Amino acid sequence: SQELEQSPQSLIVQEGKNLTINCTSSKTLYGLYWYKQKYGEGLIFLMMLQKGGEEKSHEKITAKLDEKKQQSSLHITASQPSHAGIYLCGAERQGGSEKLVFGKGTKLTVNP
Amino acid sequence: DTEVTQTPKHLVMGMTNKKSLKCEQHMGHRAMYWYKQKAKKPPELMFVYSYEKLSINESVPSRFSPECPNSSLLNLHLHALQPEDSALYLCASSRIQGISYEQYFGPGTRLTVT
């Protein structure tokens, strides 16, 4: 089954700093989702990457997919307290199963 | 409207109670999902409905009974739950079932079984 390893597990940064969160898969990645979750709330869809080398940006968040490395990275530029939360990567469990599995999440704290 | 709503927001129930969780979306999505999320863990898939038919059941105990009465509504009926079933229950929907279609999540129902 698809295993997703996220690093770091938690991250504390000062407001204005840049940061990167990584998601590494034990199997080939066919599609990779990034979600953000505030404690005890639902998941907010951020981005979906499907092609190797694909890069997408939304406001100050950029995500890339490196198919060869079976890895995706999420980069936040000039972090703000509103960026705080838990970032989850999700991917297809196994080829063709259409089941989404998630990494364990990265907890981001942004200090003002 | 890209909203998935869930009611109730919080639910406390005894082990002999019967209760239901409700999920609604009006985005015209034809796939709807139930996930269970324990504290500090990622969400885990429970059920998938595609075009109002149960498509995936992730070997969930029968004390959880899903129902999809129409394309906008998804229910999760609960009966004889155990304290370890306490968790955040998340509903999601997507345009159709498939990994290429992003899932939109509701805010969740926080369930406590006493």
Side-chain angles (χ1 to χ4, degrees):
Chain A
S1 63
Q2 181 79 275
E3 293 289 339
L4 295 174
E5 191 74 33
Q6 282 187 240
S7 62
Q9 286 185 4
S10 66
L11 192 53
I12 302 173
V13 300
Q14 207 62 32
E15 183 176 359
K17 295 293 185 186
N18 302 337
L19 62 107
T20 299
I21 297 168
N22 292 305
C23 176
T24 303
S25 171
S26 60
K27 292 181 182 281
T28 302
L29 283 169
Y30 295 99
L32 193 290
Y33 291 78
W34 283 101
Y35 285 88
K36 177 186 172 186
Q37 185 176 31
K38 294 274 194 185
Y39 177 73
E41 297 180 9
L43 280 66
I44 299 167
F45 171 77
L46 296 175
M47 272 169 274
M48 177 179 72
L49 304 165
Q50 286 193 293
K51 299 174 190 173
E54 188 173 12
E55 180 175 322
K56 286 187 178 177
S57 293
H58 176 65
E59 297 179 345
K60 294 185 178 179
I61 302 176
T62 301
K64 298 179 189 178
L65 180 62
D66 186 333
E67 246 179 10
K68 285 184 183 175
K69 289 185 183 176
Q70 296 176 179
Q71 185 178 64
S72 177
S73 60
L74 186 85
H75 185 78
I76 299 177
T77 305
S79 58
Q80 300 168 354
S82 60
H83 287 126
I86 298 169
Y87 288 82
L88 292 154
C89 64
E92 187 178 3
R93 181 179 292 176
Q94 58 192 37
S97 74
E98 301 177 332
K99 299 177 191 176
L100 196 61
V101 292
F102 292 91
K104 292 183 179 177
T106 294
K107 183 180 176 184
L108 173 64
T109 303
V110 180
N111 290 326
Chain B
D1 180 11
T2 56
E3 194 180 19
V4 176
T5 59
Q6 288 187 245
T7 54
K9 194 164 181 165
H10 300 277
L11 178 63
V12 179
M13 61 186 288
M15 289 191 282
T16 57
N17 292 158
K18 278 185 184 181
K19 296 284 184 185
S20 297
L21 310 184
K22 182 179 169 183
C23 173
E24 197 165 359
Q25 56 86 16
H26 295 287
M27 295 179 276
H29 289 176
R30 301 311 297 271
M32 296 186 78
Y33 310 76
W34 279 116
Y35 287 85
K36 175 181 176 180
Q37 187 177 26
K38 299 283 277 183
K40 298 184 181 180
K41 298 282 185 185
E44 293 180 350
L45 184 66
M46 298 175 73
F47 302 104
V48 181
Y49 271 82
S50 178
Y51 291 90
E52 296 92 70
K53 289 196 165 78
L54 184 63
S55 168
I56 295 174
N57 176 342
E58 287 289 282
S59 302
V60 178
S62 60
R63 56 185 185 268
F64 294 93
S65 175
E67 179 199 18
C68 190
N70 61 56
S71 60
S72 301
L73 275 175
L74 184 67
N75 298 321
L76 187 63
H77 302 298
L78 314 171
H79 174 55
L81 293 194
Q82 304 296 312
E84 59 265 27
D85 296 321
S86 299
L88 181 68
Y89 288 84
L90 294 163
C91 172
S93 71
S94 63
R95 193 155 70 87
I96 58 176
Q97 184 181 345
I99 201 64
S100 299
Y101 300 95
E102 59 264 31
Q103 294 179 24
Y104 293 88
F105 283 78
T109 293
R110 173 75 58 192
L111 174 68
T112 304
V113 181
T114 59

